[in-house]
Short mmCIF file of all heavy atoms in Angstrom, two decimals:
data_model
loop_
_atom_site.label_atom_id
_atom_site.label_comp_id
_atom_site.label_asym_id
_atom_site.label_seq_id
_atom_site.Cartn_x
_atom_site.Cartn_y
_atom_site.Cartn_z
N SER A 41 -4.74 -20.66 15.96
CA SER A 41 -4.57 -19.42 15.26
C SER A 41 -5.12 -19.42 13.85
O SER A 41 -5.04 -18.47 13.13
CB SER A 41 -3.09 -18.95 15.26
OG SER A 41 -2.32 -19.90 14.60
N GLN A 42 -5.65 -20.55 13.37
CA GLN A 42 -6.33 -20.71 12.07
C GLN A 42 -5.30 -20.66 10.90
O GLN A 42 -5.29 -21.60 10.10
CB GLN A 42 -7.40 -19.67 11.86
CG GLN A 42 -8.25 -19.89 10.66
CD GLN A 42 -9.47 -18.93 10.58
OE1 GLN A 42 -9.61 -18.03 11.35
NE2 GLN A 42 -10.40 -19.23 9.66
N TYR A 43 -4.49 -19.65 10.83
CA TYR A 43 -3.41 -19.54 9.86
C TYR A 43 -2.13 -19.19 10.59
O TYR A 43 -2.13 -18.37 11.47
CB TYR A 43 -3.69 -18.46 8.83
CG TYR A 43 -4.99 -18.63 8.12
CD1 TYR A 43 -6.10 -17.81 8.43
CD2 TYR A 43 -5.18 -19.56 7.11
CE1 TYR A 43 -7.34 -17.96 7.80
CE2 TYR A 43 -6.40 -19.71 6.42
CZ TYR A 43 -7.46 -18.89 6.77
OH TYR A 43 -8.62 -19.04 6.18
N MET A 72 -23.60 -11.49 -0.15
CA MET A 72 -22.28 -11.06 0.34
C MET A 72 -22.25 -11.10 1.88
O MET A 72 -21.25 -11.48 2.52
CB MET A 72 -21.93 -9.65 -0.21
CG MET A 72 -20.49 -9.26 -0.02
SD MET A 72 -19.30 -10.34 -0.77
CE MET A 72 -17.74 -9.75 -0.07
N TRP A 73 -23.32 -10.67 2.50
CA TRP A 73 -23.42 -10.68 3.93
C TRP A 73 -23.27 -12.13 4.45
O TRP A 73 -22.64 -12.40 5.43
CB TRP A 73 -24.78 -10.09 4.42
CG TRP A 73 -24.61 -8.64 4.78
CD1 TRP A 73 -24.59 -7.59 3.96
CD2 TRP A 73 -24.40 -8.09 6.13
NE1 TRP A 73 -24.43 -6.45 4.63
CE2 TRP A 73 -24.31 -6.73 5.97
CE3 TRP A 73 -24.33 -8.68 7.38
CZ2 TRP A 73 -24.12 -5.86 7.06
CZ3 TRP A 73 -24.11 -7.84 8.50
CH2 TRP A 73 -24.07 -6.45 8.33
N LEU A 75 -21.86 -14.65 2.94
CA LEU A 75 -20.48 -15.10 2.80
C LEU A 75 -19.58 -14.56 3.88
O LEU A 75 -18.83 -15.35 4.48
CB LEU A 75 -19.94 -14.63 1.40
CG LEU A 75 -18.46 -14.91 1.16
CD1 LEU A 75 -18.22 -16.44 1.06
CD2 LEU A 75 -17.99 -14.22 -0.12
N CYS A 76 -19.70 -13.30 4.21
CA CYS A 76 -18.92 -12.71 5.27
C CYS A 76 -19.26 -13.26 6.64
O CYS A 76 -18.36 -13.50 7.47
CB CYS A 76 -19.05 -11.20 5.26
SG CYS A 76 -18.12 -10.44 3.86
N ALA A 77 -20.59 -13.48 6.87
CA ALA A 77 -20.99 -14.08 8.17
C ALA A 77 -20.42 -15.43 8.31
O ALA A 77 -20.05 -15.88 9.44
CB ALA A 77 -22.49 -14.06 8.31
N ARG A 79 -17.55 -16.62 6.93
CA ARG A 79 -16.05 -16.52 7.16
C ARG A 79 -15.79 -16.02 8.57
O ARG A 79 -14.93 -16.46 9.30
CB ARG A 79 -15.43 -15.57 6.11
CG ARG A 79 -15.46 -16.05 4.69
CD ARG A 79 -14.52 -17.23 4.43
NE ARG A 79 -15.11 -18.51 4.91
CZ ARG A 79 -15.98 -19.22 4.22
NH1 ARG A 79 -16.35 -18.84 3.03
NH2 ARG A 79 -16.44 -20.34 4.75
N LEU A 80 -16.62 -15.05 9.02
CA LEU A 80 -16.47 -14.46 10.30
C LEU A 80 -16.73 -15.55 11.40
O LEU A 80 -16.02 -15.64 12.42
CB LEU A 80 -17.44 -13.30 10.45
CG LEU A 80 -17.10 -12.20 11.42
CD1 LEU A 80 -15.71 -11.68 11.22
CD2 LEU A 80 -18.12 -11.04 11.25
N ALA A 83 -13.88 -17.83 11.78
CA ALA A 83 -12.82 -17.16 12.61
C ALA A 83 -13.16 -17.11 14.09
O ALA A 83 -12.34 -17.39 14.97
CB ALA A 83 -12.58 -15.77 12.07
N MET A 114 -15.46 -10.93 18.79
CA MET A 114 -15.22 -10.10 17.61
C MET A 114 -13.99 -9.22 17.80
O MET A 114 -13.20 -9.02 16.83
CB MET A 114 -16.48 -9.21 17.33
CG MET A 114 -16.37 -8.32 16.09
SD MET A 114 -16.25 -9.34 14.58
CE MET A 114 -16.12 -8.06 13.38
N VAL A 117 -11.10 -11.39 17.04
CA VAL A 117 -11.02 -11.60 15.57
C VAL A 117 -10.28 -10.40 14.96
O VAL A 117 -9.43 -10.59 14.09
CB VAL A 117 -12.41 -11.81 14.92
CG1 VAL A 117 -12.36 -11.65 13.44
CG2 VAL A 117 -12.94 -13.20 15.33
N LEU A 118 -10.64 -9.20 15.37
CA LEU A 118 -10.03 -7.99 14.76
C LEU A 118 -8.53 -7.86 15.15
O LEU A 118 -7.72 -7.44 14.32
CB LEU A 118 -10.79 -6.74 15.18
CG LEU A 118 -12.24 -6.68 14.62
CD1 LEU A 118 -12.97 -5.47 15.15
CD2 LEU A 118 -12.22 -6.69 13.08
N ARG A 120 -6.66 -10.47 15.71
CA ARG A 120 -6.07 -11.51 14.88
C ARG A 120 -5.97 -11.11 13.39
O ARG A 120 -5.06 -11.52 12.67
CB ARG A 120 -6.87 -12.83 14.95
CG ARG A 120 -6.68 -13.52 16.28
CD ARG A 120 -7.52 -14.76 16.39
NE ARG A 120 -6.99 -15.64 17.39
CZ ARG A 120 -7.19 -16.99 17.41
NH1 ARG A 120 -7.91 -17.50 16.42
NH2 ARG A 120 -6.65 -17.73 18.36
N MET A 121 -6.91 -10.27 12.93
CA MET A 121 -6.91 -9.83 11.56
C MET A 121 -5.64 -9.08 11.22
O MET A 121 -5.13 -9.16 10.10
CB MET A 121 -8.13 -8.88 11.34
CG MET A 121 -8.16 -8.20 9.97
SD MET A 121 -9.61 -7.16 9.83
CE MET A 121 -9.34 -6.42 8.21
N ARG A 123 -2.70 -9.83 12.01
CA ARG A 123 -1.63 -10.79 11.61
C ARG A 123 -1.71 -11.13 10.09
O ARG A 123 -0.73 -11.55 9.50
CB ARG A 123 -1.81 -12.13 12.34
CG ARG A 123 -1.81 -12.02 13.85
CD ARG A 123 -2.29 -13.32 14.51
NE ARG A 123 -1.46 -14.44 14.22
CZ ARG A 123 -1.84 -15.52 13.51
NH1 ARG A 123 -3.12 -15.63 13.06
NH2 ARG A 123 -1.07 -16.56 13.30
N LEU A 124 -2.97 -11.05 9.59
CA LEU A 124 -3.21 -11.43 8.20
C LEU A 124 -3.31 -10.21 7.28
O LEU A 124 -3.91 -10.29 6.23
CB LEU A 124 -4.48 -12.27 8.07
CG LEU A 124 -4.68 -13.42 9.08
CD1 LEU A 124 -5.93 -14.24 8.74
CD2 LEU A 124 -3.49 -14.32 9.09
N VAL A 132 -6.21 -7.93 3.22
CA VAL A 132 -6.30 -8.88 4.24
C VAL A 132 -6.61 -10.21 3.65
O VAL A 132 -7.29 -10.32 2.60
CB VAL A 132 -7.36 -8.49 5.29
CG1 VAL A 132 -8.78 -8.58 4.77
CG2 VAL A 132 -7.18 -9.32 6.58
N PHE A 133 -6.16 -11.33 4.30
CA PHE A 133 -6.39 -12.65 3.78
C PHE A 133 -7.88 -13.06 4.08
O PHE A 133 -8.22 -13.21 5.26
CB PHE A 133 -5.45 -13.66 4.41
CG PHE A 133 -5.45 -14.97 3.68
CD1 PHE A 133 -4.86 -15.12 2.44
CD2 PHE A 133 -6.02 -16.07 4.25
CE1 PHE A 133 -4.84 -16.31 1.78
CE2 PHE A 133 -6.03 -17.31 3.62
CZ PHE A 133 -5.44 -17.43 2.35
N PHE A 134 -8.66 -13.15 3.05
CA PHE A 134 -10.10 -13.41 3.19
C PHE A 134 -10.56 -14.31 2.06
O PHE A 134 -10.22 -14.06 0.92
CB PHE A 134 -10.83 -12.09 3.14
CG PHE A 134 -12.31 -12.15 2.80
CD1 PHE A 134 -13.23 -12.47 3.83
CD2 PHE A 134 -12.78 -11.99 1.50
CE1 PHE A 134 -14.57 -12.64 3.55
CE2 PHE A 134 -14.17 -12.14 1.26
CZ PHE A 134 -15.04 -12.47 2.27
N PHE A 144 -15.35 -5.79 -0.49
CA PHE A 144 -16.47 -5.83 0.40
C PHE A 144 -17.62 -4.80 0.04
O PHE A 144 -18.55 -4.61 0.82
CB PHE A 144 -16.04 -5.60 1.83
CG PHE A 144 -15.01 -6.60 2.31
CD1 PHE A 144 -13.66 -6.39 2.20
CD2 PHE A 144 -15.45 -7.84 2.84
CE1 PHE A 144 -12.72 -7.29 2.58
CE2 PHE A 144 -14.54 -8.76 3.29
CZ PHE A 144 -13.14 -8.51 3.18
N LEU A 147 -21.46 -5.25 0.62
CA LEU A 147 -22.01 -5.27 1.95
C LEU A 147 -22.76 -4.02 2.25
O LEU A 147 -23.60 -3.98 3.18
CB LEU A 147 -20.88 -5.44 3.00
CG LEU A 147 -20.17 -6.77 3.15
CD1 LEU A 147 -19.03 -6.62 4.15
CD2 LEU A 147 -21.14 -7.89 3.61
N CYS A 149 -21.57 -1.38 3.64
CA CYS A 149 -21.19 -0.72 4.92
C CYS A 149 -19.73 -0.32 4.82
O CYS A 149 -18.89 -0.72 5.65
CB CYS A 149 -21.49 -1.54 6.14
SG CYS A 149 -21.14 -3.28 6.07
N LEU A 152 -17.90 0.84 8.05
CA LEU A 152 -17.35 -0.26 8.91
C LEU A 152 -16.08 -0.84 8.30
O LEU A 152 -15.06 -1.03 9.04
CB LEU A 152 -18.44 -1.39 9.05
CG LEU A 152 -17.96 -2.64 9.80
CD1 LEU A 152 -17.55 -2.37 11.27
CD2 LEU A 152 -18.99 -3.72 9.74
N ILE A 153 -16.14 -1.12 7.01
CA ILE A 153 -14.97 -1.78 6.37
C ILE A 153 -13.75 -0.85 6.44
O ILE A 153 -12.64 -1.31 6.81
CB ILE A 153 -15.33 -2.11 4.88
CG1 ILE A 153 -16.48 -3.13 4.83
CG2 ILE A 153 -14.09 -2.68 4.17
CD1 ILE A 153 -16.16 -4.42 5.57
N VAL A 156 -12.42 -0.84 10.02
CA VAL A 156 -11.82 -2.12 10.37
C VAL A 156 -10.40 -2.19 9.67
O VAL A 156 -9.42 -2.62 10.34
CB VAL A 156 -12.71 -3.29 9.93
CG1 VAL A 156 -11.95 -4.64 9.87
CG2 VAL A 156 -13.89 -3.45 10.91
N PHE A 157 -10.34 -1.79 8.42
CA PHE A 157 -9.05 -1.80 7.72
C PHE A 157 -8.03 -0.81 8.37
O PHE A 157 -6.87 -1.15 8.52
CB PHE A 157 -9.25 -1.55 6.22
CG PHE A 157 -9.50 -2.79 5.40
CD1 PHE A 157 -10.62 -3.56 5.63
CD2 PHE A 157 -8.55 -3.21 4.47
CE1 PHE A 157 -10.80 -4.74 4.89
CE2 PHE A 157 -8.77 -4.40 3.73
CZ PHE A 157 -9.91 -5.16 3.95
N HIS A 236 -20.22 -2.87 14.21
CA HIS A 236 -20.57 -4.16 13.64
C HIS A 236 -22.01 -4.57 14.06
O HIS A 236 -22.79 -5.02 13.20
CB HIS A 236 -19.52 -5.21 14.07
CG HIS A 236 -19.94 -6.62 13.76
ND1 HIS A 236 -19.94 -7.62 14.71
CD2 HIS A 236 -20.33 -7.20 12.61
CE1 HIS A 236 -20.37 -8.74 14.17
NE2 HIS A 236 -20.61 -8.57 12.91
N LYS A 239 -24.59 -2.48 12.25
CA LYS A 239 -24.81 -2.90 10.88
C LYS A 239 -25.57 -4.18 10.83
O LYS A 239 -26.44 -4.35 9.87
CB LYS A 239 -23.39 -3.13 10.21
CG LYS A 239 -22.54 -1.90 10.13
CD LYS A 239 -23.17 -0.87 9.14
CE LYS A 239 -22.40 0.42 9.22
NZ LYS A 239 -23.08 1.52 8.50
N LEU A 240 -25.34 -5.06 11.76
CA LEU A 240 -26.13 -6.32 11.75
C LEU A 240 -27.60 -6.01 11.98
O LEU A 240 -28.45 -6.64 11.34
CB LEU A 240 -25.56 -7.29 12.79
CG LEU A 240 -26.30 -8.58 12.97
CD1 LEU A 240 -26.35 -9.39 11.66
CD2 LEU A 240 -25.72 -9.45 14.09
N PHE A 255 -27.81 -17.60 8.29
CA PHE A 255 -26.63 -17.24 9.04
C PHE A 255 -26.18 -18.31 9.99
O PHE A 255 -27.06 -19.04 10.51
CB PHE A 255 -26.88 -15.94 9.85
CG PHE A 255 -26.56 -14.65 9.09
CD1 PHE A 255 -26.71 -14.65 7.67
CD2 PHE A 255 -26.12 -13.52 9.71
CE1 PHE A 255 -26.39 -13.47 6.96
CE2 PHE A 255 -25.80 -12.32 8.99
CZ PHE A 255 -25.95 -12.30 7.60
N TYR A 259 -22.74 -17.39 14.88
CA TYR A 259 -22.75 -15.93 14.62
C TYR A 259 -24.03 -15.32 15.28
O TYR A 259 -23.96 -14.32 15.93
CB TYR A 259 -22.78 -15.65 13.10
CG TYR A 259 -22.73 -14.21 12.69
CD1 TYR A 259 -21.50 -13.54 12.58
CD2 TYR A 259 -23.89 -13.47 12.47
CE1 TYR A 259 -21.46 -12.20 12.23
CE2 TYR A 259 -23.86 -12.12 12.10
CZ TYR A 259 -22.63 -11.52 11.98
OH TYR A 259 -22.63 -10.19 11.63
C1 LIG B 1 -9.78 -12.42 10.84
C2 LIG B 1 -8.67 -13.35 11.17
C3 LIG B 1 -9.09 -14.80 10.91
C4 LIG B 1 -9.48 -14.93 9.44
C5 LIG B 1 -10.54 -13.98 9.08
C6 LIG B 1 -11.67 -14.38 8.44
C7 LIG B 1 -12.79 -13.55 8.07
C8 LIG B 1 -12.47 -12.04 8.09
C9 LIG B 1 -11.69 -11.73 9.35
C10 LIG B 1 -10.33 -12.50 9.39
C11 LIG B 1 -11.51 -10.24 9.46
C12 LIG B 1 -12.82 -9.41 9.39
C13 LIG B 1 -13.57 -9.75 8.10
C14 LIG B 1 -13.76 -11.28 8.05
C15 LIG B 1 -14.77 -11.49 6.96
C16 LIG B 1 -15.65 -10.25 6.98
C17 LIG B 1 -15.02 -9.29 8.01
C18 LIG B 1 -12.75 -9.24 6.88
C19 LIG B 1 -9.30 -11.93 8.41
C20 LIG B 1 -15.28 -7.81 7.60
C21 LIG B 1 -14.89 -6.85 8.70
C22 LIG B 1 -16.81 -7.53 7.25
C23 LIG B 1 -17.76 -7.74 8.43
C24 LIG B 1 -19.06 -7.99 7.78
C25 LIG B 1 -20.10 -8.46 8.75
C26 LIG B 1 -20.92 -7.17 9.13
C27 LIG B 1 -20.91 -9.57 8.28
O1 LIG B 1 -8.03 -15.69 11.25
#
Side-chain angles (χ1 to χ4, degrees):
S41 64
Q42 189 170 10
Y43 304 102
M72 191 61 190
W73 265 81
L75 174 65
C76 286
R79 294 291 77 83
L80 206 50
M114 182 64 182
V117 165
L118 294 175
R120 286 178 160 206
M121 175 178 176
R123 305 166 62 242
L124 312 186
V132 70
F133 194 73
F134 161 81
F144 301 93
L147 288 174
C149 43
L152 171 66
I153 298 301
V156 164
F157 270 65
H236 168 234
K239 296 294 173 189
L240 176 60
F255 271 30
Y259 183 88

